[in-house]
Amino acid sequence: LFNTALLVTLATAIASILGVFIGVAAAAKDATKMGSVFLVVTISLYSLPVFWTGALLLLLFGYHLGWFPLGGTTTIPPPENFFFLVQDTLFHMALPVVVLVLYLVAGSALMVRATSLDELKRDYVITARAKGIGRHRVLYKHVLRNSMLPFVTFTALAFGMLFTGTILVEIIFSLNGIGKYLFTSVVNEDFPALQAIFFVSAVVVIAANLVADLLYGYLDPRIRIG
């Protein structure tokens, strides 16, 4: 449970931050060649299956270059020092996190780009620009905030789905997580373990949606409950 939570949290946090800024920048450059390049790259990344991306990164950076371990959650035996144990765990998590980030950042960027393009056509943007407010300030102070509600929904749903959707990634990288445990439980017909996994997954999805609802009120005061 801890390994999967760490993997999904790191991947979601990194992809969300990158996706927001890449999506807004892509919306600003939509009418240029950079906008076309962005669409091609993001749609390609979003379409790549995670097992193919994971196997490719493992083959290149793990086998040929030897920069990262070929699998496992920690070195065997794991370091006894807590600091080195954390460092070793993050080192083994690096490639799996990159695989999920490449998938998530494309979806996040496409979502933010689409909502930002809609916001850029609104009257308040035209008024702000007519008042002499810089384009950069309009994008990141006004357009971005109003584009965040659909993005928060996407991130909450993605977090809940990834929590048990990391089966392929955990199998490829031999990570001891919920996804790998789910796979072995299905193979071994371990029904109590499957029930526990589904229960935890349901709790995570509900909690993610609750956090999203709370963020709605922070981002848009009009929908706060009085």
Side-chain angles (χ1 to χ4, degrees), residues 4 7-8 11-12 15 50 53 57 94-106 162 165-166 169:
T4 299
L7 173 65
V8 173
T12 305
V50 292
T53 309
L57 293 179
L95 287 182
V97 167
V98 169
V99 172
L100 293 179
V101 166
L102 289 176
Y103 173 76
L104 282 176
V105 73
L162 277 181
T166 56
V169 174

Side-chain angles (χ1 to χ4, degrees), residues 69-173:
L70 292 175
T73 309
T74 60
T75 303
I76 300 176
E80 296 182 0
N81 183 279
F82 177 75
F83 175 78
F84 291 114
L85 178 61
V86 172
Q87 187 180 28
D88 186 63
T89 302
L90 293 177
F91 182 60
H92 282 75
M93 287 276 182
L95 287 182
V97 167
V98 169
V99 172
L100 293 179
V101 166
L102 289 176
Y103 173 76
L104 282 176
V105 73
S108 300
L110 287 172
M111 172 67 71
V112 174
R113 171 187 172 275
T115 53
S116 296
L117 286 176
D118 290 336
E119 291 296 324
L120 285 172
K121 300 175 184 177
R122 300 293 179 90
D123 292 338
Y124 75 88
V125 174
I126 300 174
T127 303
R129 293 290 291 153
K131 289 182 177 180
I133 300 177
R135 184 174 180 82
H136 186 274
R137 184 179 178 185
V138 171
L139 280 172
Y140 288 98
K141 188 174 181 180
H142 301 285
V143 173
L144 178 58
R145 180 157 187 164
N146 292 325
S147 303
M148 289 300 290
L149 293 182
F151 171 75
V152 168
T153 303
F154 172 84
T155 304
L157 293 175
F159 184 87
M161 292 173 60
L162 277 181
F163 198 79
T164 51
T166 56
I167 301 175
L168 294 174
V169 174
E170 291 179 357
I171 291 175
I172 290 172
F173 293 98

Side-chain angles (χ1 to χ4, degrees), residues 1-9 93 163 170 176-179 181 196-197 200-201 204:
L1 180 62
F2 173 78
N3 294 329
T4 299
L6 178 62
L7 173 65
V8 173
T9 302
M93 287 276 182
F163 198 79
E170 291 179 357
N176 295 322
I178 291 292
Y181 188 38
I197 293 171
V200 171
S201 303
V204 170

